[in-house]
Amino acid sequence: MASKPLSKDSMQSTWRTGPRSEWNISHYLLDALNAHPIDLRQGAIPLLLHETYMAFTGRTMGPITAFNFYFFVFNATVIYQVHILRRLGHKYGFLDGDKHARDGVPDVGVAKVVTSLYKTTGSRMILSIFLSYNQSQRPSQMSWMWLPLEIGLYGIVLDFWFYWYHRLMHDEFFDMVGVPVMTYFSLKLFGLPMGFYEWWICHEYVAFAEVFGHSGLRIHSGVPSTMGWLLQMFDAEIVIEDHDLHHRKGWRKSHNYGKQTRLWDRIFGTCTERIESVKGNIDYENTAEMPLF
């Protein structure tokens, strides 16, 4: 008897233990990257390499070369972060893990995950190159004085645009292109320089926050921000459980739409109370450590 075709929304994930004869290129690529949430068995480096290349050769890096270089490093960094967070998950466990196993990549979504990864990272790099790349400028010539403010504000402003996109719709194109473009021009409107290299660091920061926020690690932690002190004043900083709670409800009847902060959820009344990561449950004596390697 033939098996019933899976719904496009199915979360069944059995392909990794199934016969490889049924795999396509997306399955092999995702497996080669080892970008799985469950194991069955960093941003300054590219800038230093770019600076060294220009200093010792006297040459510039054209837009196409720069795109391919930063695109490769961006994806390698994200995958590396997934590996580290997965190890921590096996050590400390996952939120809501006593009730539900952590979701894997569903059988019907392997190709979508692979294409989404490259479309998202690729579109962000294309935007950065097109809008801000100056091939005669070295990384060391970025606006260092403004960088801490740009990093902090970038997460807050990006979260404003992401909040409303996330609350009103789940459109892939707007997430990939619209949110970062609106954020970039918002910061430019504030008078910040937002050169390519500063934007690269902001991209790296946001990517880490997104991967960290979706890790589901059963630890009370968030991604440090240069504006964290301000967010804490309004109880608007975000920890892992906050966005994890969002995914338990589904986006149409949910809360905690932000991924970088809880600021806009606080302001617009969509912030929900934490369950596991409340003060009485937090062990401040036995701390979790984030390994570099």
Side-chain angles (χ1 to χ4, degrees):
M1 181 177 178
S3 59
K4 183 179 179 181
L6 293 174
S7 161
K8 65 181 180 66
D9 297 318
S10 170
M11 287 303 296
Q12 176 179 312
S13 181
T14 59
W15 62 275
R16 294 173 63 197
T17 57
R20 293 200 172 205
S21 59
E22 299 179 1
W23 286 16
N24 58 35
I25 189 172
S26 297
H27 294 84
Y28 281 105
L29 183 57
L30 192 62
D31 191 63
L33 295 174
N34 194 22
H36 307 296
I38 299 175
D39 196 356
L40 297 179
R41 327 154 276 165
Q42 283 262 6
I45 294 176
L47 298 180
L48 291 173
L49 293 175
H50 193 165
E51 178 75 21
T52 302
Y53 171 80
M54 293 184 71
F56 282 90
T57 67
R59 299 177 181 178
T60 62
M61 188 181 288
I64 295 177
T65 302
F67 165 77
N68 284 287
F69 174 63
Y70 284 99
F71 174 68
F72 171 79
V73 175
F74 190 89
N75 281 288
T77 304
V78 169
I79 293 166
Y80 178 67
Q81 291 167 353
V82 170
H83 292 179
I84 290 178
L85 293 172
R86 183 181 60 201
R87 293 206 315 263
L88 290 177
H90 287 302
K91 181 177 181 179
Y92 297 109
F94 296 98
L95 294 163
D96 206 32
D98 54 337
K99 297 179 182 178
H100 305 283
R102 200 72 191 159
D103 290 337
V105 177
D107 296 342
V108 296
V110 177
K112 183 178 180 181
V113 168
V114 173
T115 55
S116 294
L117 171 65
Y118 286 103
K119 280 198 279 187
T120 300
T121 57
S123 63
R124 291 180 183 182
M125 287 301 101
I126 289 173
L127 289 172
S128 298
I129 294 290
F130 180 74
L131 293 174
S132 64
Y133 185 66
N134 178 355
Q135 66 184 63
S136 64
Q137 183 187 35
R138 293 184 181 182
S140 60
Q141 296 173 315
M142 76 170 77
S143 302
W144 294 98
M145 182 180 70
W146 291 104
L147 183 59
L149 181 61
E150 287 176 326
I151 294 173
L153 280 182
Y154 192 87
I156 293 173
V157 174
L158 180 134
D159 219 41
F160 171 80
W161 295 112
F162 179 83
Y163 173 89
W164 283 110
Y165 139 76
H166 205 187
R167 186 172 176 180
L168 298 175
M169 58 182 173
H170 264 200
D171 178 77
E172 189 176 85
F173 177 81
F174 195 79
D175 186 21
M176 293 186 303
V177 178
V179 170
V181 165
M182 296 298 287
T183 306
Y184 171 77
F185 283 112
S186 295
L187 266 64
K188 293 288 283 188
L189 189 64
F190 293 160
L192 298 175
M194 283 304 294
F196 172 78
Y197 303 114
E198 298 103 277
W199 201 3
W200 160 261
I201 294 175
C202 290
H203 279 317
E204 287 282 84
Y205 172 80
V206 165
F208 179 69
E210 290 176 350
V211 172
F212 199 69
H214 284 91
S215 68
L217 294 176
R218 187 171 252 156
I219 60 177
H220 180 74
S221 180
V223 177
S225 168
T226 55
M227 301 293 286
W229 59 273
L230 182 61
L231 293 171
Q232 289 175 4
M233 288 176 60
F234 298 97
D235 193 22
E237 78 283 5
I238 195 168
V239 298
I240 296 173
E241 187 180 19
D242 294 323
H243 197 67
D244 199 77
L245 287 169
H246 165 81
H247 283 281
R248 298 181 204 175
K249 288 289 185 178
W251 73 277
R252 290 185 181 276
K253 297 182 292 184
S254 194
H255 37 239
N256 292 10
Y257 292 94
K259 285 198 299 187
Q260 307 293 323
T261 74
R262 288 191 300 168
L263 178 62
W264 308 111
D265 285 289
R266 283 274 182 226
I267 291 175
F268 298 115
T270 53
C271 195
T272 191
E273 296 299 320
R274 295 163 182 163
I275 299 173
E276 297 183 58
S277 197
V278 293
K279 290 184 178 180
N281 287 346
I282 300 171
D283 181 357
Y284 290 101
E285 297 296 327
N286 300 301
T287 57
E289 295 183 358
M290 172 66 70
L292 184 60
F293 301 104

